[in-house]
Amino acid sequence: MKFAVLVYEGPYNHEASDSAYNFINAALEKGHECRGIFFYHDGVYNVTKLMEPPQDDRHIANRWSELGAKGIDIVVCIAAAKRRGIVDDVLVDNVRISGLGQLTMMAIEADKMVVFGD
Amino acid sequence: MSDDIKKIMFTVRKAPHGSIYVYEGLEVKLIMAAYDADISVVFMDDGVNALRAGQDTKELGIKGFEATYGVLVDYEIEKVYVDRKSMEDRGMTEADLLVIGEDEDTEEDIRPTIIDADEIAKMMAEQHNIMPF
């Protein structure tokens, strides 16, 4: 099955982004495909390279970047990002800023879109 | 589920103000309407408050979006439904619903369609994707 994933919540404060990450890895392991990951609302905070979590904890932004390096399209909503001060310069590698049209394409092209967040 | 046109339903279950979910959700609907997809929107739970006519956000100090809901039909978002029980639970009647457009022929106001939960469940079962806001 071809999944797309939509993440609504920021990192650390909420389990949504951890759950999304675990879901994608489990889906890929089972041979499913990931059409893309889209960050919306406070989810845009997931992929800033400004975050410096304690060394003995997970580094959420780097995890997404590693997933992006595997060829998964990771998109941050430009409107939500601009509102929250997230610009290209602060993004980790393998992630891009684009519009809601990208979310639309994911919703249309994926068999199922799975949403994480309240 | 093999149709070419994807059926995508938006659900609005949160209160319209106090968080940005409903507002940013509206932005998604307006963009997505421009694409080739079968879009529907269902308001339920506290989300029905987003359809109350006469919202005034001045004292909250935030930009309101009732005016944008007023042109949903112009954006070709015509399948707009509201859960009857959620409305009743919150003391709303049909007369409280805002206008989402105007009928091209009769120039009559178009309001969201009030439906029951079992009809919503049936529609949900037919969707390819459901996006909650």
Side-chain angles (χ1 to χ4, degrees):
Chain A
M1 189 174 274
K2 198 191 286 180
F3 289 108
V5 166
L6 174 56
V7 181
Y8 280 166
E9 306 291 341
Y12 302 104
N13 197 54
H14 200 289
E15 198 183 345
S17 73
D18 295 275
S19 300
Y21 178 78
N22 292 331
F23 171 83
I24 293 163
N25 281 317
L28 294 177
E29 227 165 83
K30 285 193 180 294
H32 297 293
E33 202 181 316
C34 183
R35 167 62 182 79
I37 303 164
F38 196 91
F39 289 109
Y40 201 45
H41 301 318
D42 276 358
V44 300
Y45 292 122
N46 270 279
V47 283
T48 153
K49 62 184 173 196
L50 299 177
M51 71 172 72
E52 278 183 48
Q55 284 188 352
D56 55 354
D57 197 1
R58 69 220 188 281
H59 193 301
I60 289 182
N62 285 352
R63 285 198 320 198
W64 291 119
S65 184
E66 286 156 18
L67 217 44
K70 291 183 183 173
I72 296 178
D73 189 20
I74 305 183
V75 181
V76 181
C77 171
I78 188 162
K82 283 181 91 166
R83 219 174 239 135
R84 294 164 177 83
I86 303 293
V87 294
D88 268 325
D89 288 351
V90 303
L91 291 184
V92 289
D93 291 341
N94 311 315
V95 167
R96 64 193 179 103
I97 291 191
S98 190
L100 289 166
Q102 296 300 310
L103 172 62
T104 306
M105 293 316 293
M106 287 182 196
I108 289 174
E109 290 172 15
D111 298 312
K112 280 289 163 202
M113 171 156 267
V114 187
V115 184
F116 292 87
D118 283 341
Chain B
M1 304 277 270
S2 60
D3 298 348
D4 285 343
I5 301 282
K6 281 277 161 92
K7 290 171 85 77
I8 298 173
M9 174 185 277
F10 293 91
T11 59
V12 181
R13 310 184 79 143
K14 296 181 174 74
H17 309 297
S19 75
I20 202 167
Y21 297 105
V22 174
Y23 179 71
E24 286 193 332
L26 175 59
E27 292 186 336
V28 178
K29 292 172 196 93
L30 299 182
I31 297 284
M32 211 169 272
Y35 288 76
D36 201 13
D38 178 2
I39 304 284
S40 57
V41 189
V42 183
F43 292 79
M44 50 193 154
D45 300 332
D46 279 346
V48 299
N49 285 306
L51 292 179
R52 265 186 208 272
Q55 292 174 44
D56 180 0
T57 59
K58 251 190 257 115
E59 294 208 21
L60 292 173
I62 61 168
K63 178 181 159 190
F65 46 90
E66 184 178 335
T68 314
Y69 274 130
V71 295
L72 278 183
V73 174
D74 290 344
Y75 277 87
E76 293 181 14
I77 299 178
E78 288 155 2
K79 296 180 178 174
V80 182
Y81 306 98
V82 52
D83 173 46
R84 186 186 312 276
K85 172 102 178 19
S86 300
M87 280 179 70
E88 286 172 2
D89 287 349
R90 288 158 184 81
M92 283 174 74
T93 67
E94 194 166 4
D96 295 313
L97 292 176
L98 52 77
V99 172
I100 58 168
E102 193 178 75
D103 188 295
E104 272 181 28
D105 301 321
T106 65
E107 293 185 7
E108 272 178 44
D109 287 342
I110 299 173
R111 288 190 164 76
T113 308
I114 301 173
I115 60 173
D116 290 308
D118 56 345
E119 292 174 77
I120 295 174
K122 250 182 256 164
M123 284 197 295
M124 279 182 163
E126 294 167 0
Q127 302 300 314
H128 292 96
N129 281 317
I130 296 178
M131 302 181 66
F133 281 100

